[in-house]
Amino acid sequence: MYTVGYSLSLVSLLVALTLLAAFRKLRCTRNFIHMNLFLSHVLRAAAILLRDSLLWLHFPRDLEAVTGCRLAQILTQYCVCANYFWLLVEGLYLHNLLGPMAFMGESYLPAYLLLGWGTPLFFVIPWGIMRYLDENNECWERNDNLGYWWIIRCPILVSILVSPKRAKILKKRDLQPLRHCRGYVIKLLGN
């Protein structure tokens, strides 16, 4: 049943990405970060649907099919990590925007891109290598040695724990810089 949910999510996110990319007035750092978060969710849904279709077909035991299934598993884990790191980027951007010393968003885009798309590679690649060297059975859908699983899960948990620590209680004066957003949304969607 969750296949239907991932499929609907995939379609909805593709529509949202298309809308954000199509309207020039919506192009800004904040929406660029949103688009990357949406793209990470699109890739995650596509990777999970691909992985599940390979598992559901009871892939043959030849080397090519097993390799394809394992690559789909690695892609799925990368996309899950990218989701969490893009959520962290969203929080960091909001913190920097509303913090006492608001940073210029444009100058931090390369760092945000590296954090969102690059950081998961530092954990997924070692996980894939360890799985290949020590737990190289079937499609890697089971985790017999949970120590290797923590190679991926520990950074995700750290990104979750870091987000609330950087957040602060928002006051009305903190939201003043974001007033202009409401105008764009009203123009786009009407009253």
Side-chain angles (χ1 to χ4, degrees):
M1 187 63 174
Y2 76 93
T3 303
V4 173
Y6 272 112
S7 300
L8 289 173
S9 177
L10 185 64
V11 170
S12 303
L13 288 165
L14 287 172
V15 169
L17 271 172
T18 303
L19 287 174
L20 282 173
F23 293 106
R24 281 190 173 275
K25 288 191 176 189
L26 294 176
R27 292 187 187 160
C28 63
T29 303
R30 181 186 69 251
N31 286 342
F32 182 73
I33 291 171
H34 290 332
M35 288 174 66
N36 278 284
L37 176 65
F38 292 173
L39 182 60
S40 74
H41 281 290
V42 165
L43 293 175
R44 177 183 181 170
I48 287 175
L49 292 172
L50 173 68
R51 182 199 65 194
D52 288 351
S53 67
L54 289 172
L55 286 172
W56 184 74
L57 291 175
H58 298 289
F59 59 90
R61 299 291 181 209
D62 64 349
L63 183 61
E64 292 171 5
V66 172
T67 303
C69 188
R70 289 176 184 164
L71 288 174
Q73 186 73 3
I74 290 172
L75 178 65
T76 300
Q77 296 305 325
Y78 172 77
C79 292
V80 168
C81 285
N83 278 158
Y84 285 99
F85 280 97
W86 274 106
L87 286 171
L88 177 63
V89 167
E90 289 267 354
L92 288 173
Y93 178 74
L94 183 62
H95 179 267
N96 289 341
L97 186 67
L98 299 175
M101 298 179 354
F103 301 113
M104 296 300 293
E106 295 287 331
S107 64
Y108 285 94
L109 279 178
Y112 291 147
L113 287 170
L114 184 63
L115 180 63
W117 293 117
T119 304
L121 291 173
F122 290 111
F123 308 109
V124 174
I125 290 173
W127 174 80
I129 291 170
M130 293 307 297
R131 288 298 300 251
Y132 178 76
L133 294 175
D134 195 38
E135 276 190 330
N136 198 17
N137 49 7
E138 296 185 10
C139 189
W140 299 351
E141 71 275 7
R142 291 184 11 209
N143 293 304
D144 296 328
N145 184 348
L146 292 179
Y148 299 141
W149 186 241
W150 281 102
I151 294 173
I152 292 176
R153 289 298 165 226
C154 190
I156 288 174
L157 288 174
V158 168
S159 75
I160 292 169
L161 293 174
V162 166
S163 292
K165 299 269 187 242
R166 301 206 31 107
K168 65 179 190 173
I169 297 175
L170 297 178
K171 297 179 181 143
K172 194 170 189 170
R173 67 173 168 80
D174 293 329
L175 298 176
Q176 292 301 319
L178 301 178
R179 259 192 335 217
H180 69 281
C181 298
R182 190 179 79 190
Y184 285 129
V185 172
I186 288 173
K187 287 177 188 175
L188 181 64
L189 301 175
N191 294 341

